[in-house]
Amino acid sequence: MEEEKKQQTEYEEPVQEETAEEEKNHEGVLPIDETGVIAANTKVTGDIVTRGHLMIYGEVEGNVTAAGNITATGKISGDIACSNLKLTGCQLKSNLTVKENILMDADSKVEGRIFCSVLSADGTIKGNIEATSEVQIHSSASITGGIRTKSISVDAGAQLLGSMQVVR
Protein backbone atom coordinates (compact mmCIF):
# COMPACT_ATOMS: atom_id res chain seq x y z
CA MET A 1 0.00 0.00 0.00
CA GLU A 2 2.81 2.40 0.94
CA GLU A 3 4.56 1.64 -2.35
CA GLU A 4 1.34 2.29 -4.33
CA LYS A 5 0.97 5.75 -2.75
CA LYS A 6 4.58 6.51 -3.55
CA GLN A 7 4.07 5.49 -7.20
CA GLN A 8 0.93 7.63 -7.49
CA THR A 9 2.55 10.77 -6.08
CA GLU A 10 5.82 10.47 -7.98
CA TYR A 11 5.66 12.13 -11.35
CA GLU A 12 8.48 13.10 -13.59
CA GLU A 13 8.09 15.94 -16.08
CA PRO A 14 8.41 14.63 -19.62
CA VAL A 15 11.70 15.66 -21.15
CA GLN A 16 11.26 17.73 -24.28
CA GLU A 17 13.75 16.52 -26.84
CA GLU A 18 15.72 19.14 -28.69
CA THR A 19 14.92 19.57 -32.35
CA ALA A 20 17.11 20.97 -35.09
CA GLU A 21 19.84 23.41 -34.06
CA GLU A 22 18.40 26.20 -36.25
CA GLU A 23 15.23 26.35 -34.14
CA LYS A 24 17.19 27.66 -31.17
CA ASN A 25 16.95 31.39 -30.49
CA HIS A 26 19.81 33.85 -30.05
CA GLU A 27 20.54 32.53 -26.54
CA GLY A 28 20.56 28.87 -27.66
CA VAL A 29 17.17 28.15 -26.05
CA LEU A 30 14.50 26.18 -27.87
CA PRO A 31 11.12 27.92 -27.99
CA ILE A 32 8.16 26.02 -26.58
CA ASP A 33 4.76 25.99 -28.23
CA GLU A 34 2.98 28.37 -25.86
CA THR A 35 1.79 31.92 -26.44
CA GLY A 36 1.52 34.48 -23.68
CA VAL A 37 -0.81 37.47 -24.15
CA ILE A 38 -0.65 40.96 -22.70
CA ALA A 39 -4.15 42.39 -23.21
CA ALA A 40 -4.89 45.82 -24.69
CA ASN A 41 -5.82 47.48 -21.40
CA THR A 42 -2.87 46.01 -19.49
CA LYS A 43 0.37 47.75 -18.49
CA VAL A 44 3.35 45.66 -17.40
CA THR A 45 6.24 47.37 -15.60
CA GLY A 46 9.34 45.18 -15.43
CA ASP A 47 11.18 42.69 -17.59
CA ILE A 48 9.40 39.82 -19.34
CA VAL A 49 11.13 36.54 -20.19
CA THR A 50 9.36 33.62 -21.87
CA ARG A 51 10.44 30.38 -23.53
CA GLY A 52 7.36 30.60 -25.75
CA HIS A 53 5.80 33.18 -28.04
CA LEU A 54 4.30 36.49 -26.94
CA MET A 55 1.52 38.75 -28.19
CA ILE A 56 1.61 42.31 -26.82
CA TYR A 57 -1.54 44.38 -27.26
CA GLY A 58 -1.01 46.50 -24.15
CA GLU A 59 1.90 48.48 -22.80
CA VAL A 60 5.26 47.23 -21.52
CA GLU A 61 7.88 49.27 -19.68
CA GLY A 62 10.85 46.91 -19.46
CA ASN A 63 12.92 44.50 -21.53
CA VAL A 64 11.13 41.69 -23.37
CA THR A 65 12.91 38.42 -24.19
CA ALA A 66 11.16 35.52 -25.95
CA ALA A 67 12.66 32.29 -27.24
CA GLY A 68 9.86 32.29 -29.83
CA ASN A 69 8.13 35.02 -31.82
CA ILE A 70 6.66 38.32 -30.68
CA THR A 71 3.65 40.04 -32.25
CA ALA A 72 3.11 43.56 -30.97
CA THR A 73 0.43 46.19 -31.49
CA GLY A 74 0.92 48.04 -28.21
CA LYS A 75 3.56 50.34 -26.77
CA ILE A 76 6.94 49.06 -25.57
CA SER A 77 9.77 50.93 -23.83
CA GLY A 78 12.70 48.55 -23.33
CA ASP A 79 14.92 46.26 -25.34
CA ILE A 80 13.39 43.36 -27.27
CA ALA A 81 15.05 40.02 -28.15
CA CYS A 82 13.21 37.21 -29.98
CA SER A 83 13.21 34.90 -33.02
CA ASN A 84 10.77 36.83 -35.24
CA LEU A 85 9.02 40.16 -34.63
CA LYS A 86 5.80 41.42 -36.22
CA LEU A 87 4.81 45.04 -35.53
CA THR A 88 1.31 46.30 -36.32
CA GLY A 89 0.54 49.84 -35.19
CA CYS A 90 3.21 49.45 -32.51
CA GLN A 91 5.16 52.23 -30.81
CA LEU A 92 8.65 51.15 -29.67
CA LYS A 93 11.43 52.94 -27.83
CA SER A 94 13.62 49.87 -27.93
CA ASN A 95 16.74 48.27 -29.24
CA LEU A 96 15.67 45.21 -31.25
CA THR A 97 17.73 42.02 -31.48
CA VAL A 98 15.83 39.57 -33.67
CA LYS A 99 17.33 36.28 -34.85
CA GLU A 100 15.34 36.14 -38.07
CA ASN A 101 12.72 38.54 -39.50
CA ILE A 102 11.16 41.84 -38.54
CA LEU A 103 7.93 42.75 -40.31
CA MET A 104 6.80 46.31 -39.65
CA ASP A 105 3.58 47.92 -40.94
CA ALA A 106 3.07 51.59 -41.92
CA ASP A 107 1.54 52.52 -38.54
CA SER A 108 4.51 51.29 -36.47
CA LYS A 109 7.32 53.45 -35.11
CA VAL A 110 10.69 52.33 -33.75
CA GLU A 111 13.21 54.51 -31.92
CA GLY A 112 16.35 52.47 -31.33
CA ARG A 113 18.98 50.20 -32.85
CA ILE A 114 17.81 47.25 -34.95
CA PHE A 115 19.75 44.02 -35.46
CA CYS A 116 18.14 41.18 -37.46
CA SER A 117 18.50 38.92 -40.47
CA VAL A 118 15.72 40.42 -42.64
CA LEU A 119 13.89 43.71 -42.10
CA SER A 120 10.73 44.56 -44.04
CA ALA A 121 9.89 48.15 -43.06
CA ASP A 122 6.79 50.15 -43.91
CA GLY A 123 6.77 52.45 -40.87
CA THR A 124 9.05 54.98 -39.19
CA ILE A 125 12.50 54.08 -37.85
CA LYS A 126 14.88 56.41 -36.02
CA GLY A 127 18.08 54.48 -35.34
CA ASN A 128 20.76 52.37 -36.97
CA ILE A 129 19.87 49.12 -38.73
CA GLU A 130 22.10 46.09 -39.20
CA ALA A 131 20.55 43.22 -41.15
CA THR A 132 22.75 40.20 -41.87
CA SER A 133 20.75 39.30 -44.97
CA GLU A 134 18.34 41.88 -46.39
CA VAL A 135 16.51 45.18 -45.83
CA GLN A 136 13.27 45.91 -47.69
CA ILE A 137 12.12 49.53 -47.43
CA HIS A 138 8.57 50.01 -48.66
CA SER A 139 6.96 53.16 -50.06
CA SER A 140 5.48 54.53 -46.83
CA ALA A 141 8.65 53.95 -44.77
CA SER A 142 10.65 56.78 -43.23
CA ILE A 143 14.12 55.87 -41.95
CA THR A 144 16.58 58.14 -40.18
CA GLY A 145 19.87 56.40 -39.40
CA GLY A 146 22.55 54.20 -40.85
CA ILE A 147 21.81 50.95 -42.67
CA ARG A 148 24.28 48.06 -43.03
CA THR A 149 23.20 44.92 -44.91
CA LYS A 150 24.07 42.47 -47.70
CA SER A 151 21.06 43.36 -49.85
CA ILE A 152 18.68 46.31 -49.91
CA SER A 153 15.58 47.28 -51.87
CA VAL A 154 13.90 50.67 -51.66
CA ASP A 155 10.44 51.33 -53.08
CA ALA A 156 9.62 54.67 -54.70
CA GLY A 157 8.26 57.12 -52.15
CA ALA A 158 10.31 55.85 -49.19
CA GLN A 159 12.19 58.48 -47.19
CA LEU A 160 15.80 57.81 -46.19
CA LEU A 161 18.12 60.08 -44.24
CA GLY A 162 21.46 58.57 -43.21
CA SER A 163 24.25 56.36 -44.45
CA MET A 164 23.98 53.07 -46.27
CA GLN A 165 26.51 50.23 -46.53
CA VAL A 166 25.93 47.19 -48.70
CA VAL A 167 28.49 44.53 -47.79
CA ARG A 168 29.25 41.02 -48.99
Side-chain angles (χ1 to χ4, degrees):
M1 184 72 159
E2 182 95 14
E3 196 173 310
E4 266 183 49
K5 275 187 182 178
K6 191 176 180 182
Q7 286 179 346
Q8 288 175 348
T9 58
E10 286 182 19
Y11 174 75
E12 290 184 26
E13 278 292 318
V15 178
Q16 184 176 4
E17 291 187 31
E18 291 191 5
T19 55
E21 186 69 26
E22 64 270 4
E23 289 183 20
K24 290 184 179 181
N25 74 350
H26 62 281
E27 294 177 341
V29 176
L30 287 167
I32 58 175
D33 195 22
E34 293 182 345
T35 301
V37 177
I38 298 172
N41 295 313
T42 303
K43 180 177 180 179
V44 175
T45 303
D47 295 348
I48 299 171
V49 178
T50 178
R51 287 192 54 214
H53 308 290
L54 188 60
M55 299 177 82
I56 302 172
Y57 299 107
E59 185 175 347
V60 176
E61 289 182 2
N63 299 328
V64 180
T65 303
N69 304 327
I70 295 176
T71 300
T73 62
K75 186 176 177 181
I76 303 169
S77 297
D79 294 345
I80 296 174
C82 61
S83 291
N84 289 287
L85 178 62
K86 181 178 180 182
L87 306 174
T88 306
C90 191
Q91 311 302 306
L92 299 176
K93 288 187 179 180
S94 307
N95 292 317
L96 309 178
T97 303
V98 178
K99 182 181 176 188
E100 296 176 28
N101 304 317
I102 298 175
L103 178 61
M104 179 180 176
D105 79 346
D107 297 323
S108 293
K109 294 180 183 176
V110 175
E111 263 184 63
R113 177 193 53 77
I114 296 174
F115 180 83
C116 62
S117 178
V118 176
L119 170 66
S120 177
D122 230 343
T124 302
I125 298 172
K126 291 182 182 178
N128 292 331
I129 300 165
E130 184 173 347
T132 57
S133 184
E134 178 181 9
V135 173
Q136 303 164 359
I137 303 170
H138 302 290
S139 61
S140 60
S142 174
I143 298 177
T144 304
I147 300 171
R148 180 180 168 88
T149 187
K150 289 182 181 175
S151 174
I152 190 164
S153 63
V154 181
D155 291 350
Q159 297 178 354
L160 298 174
L161 178 60
S163 64
M164 192 180 315
Q165 291 182 334
V166 179
V167 296
R168 291 182 212 201

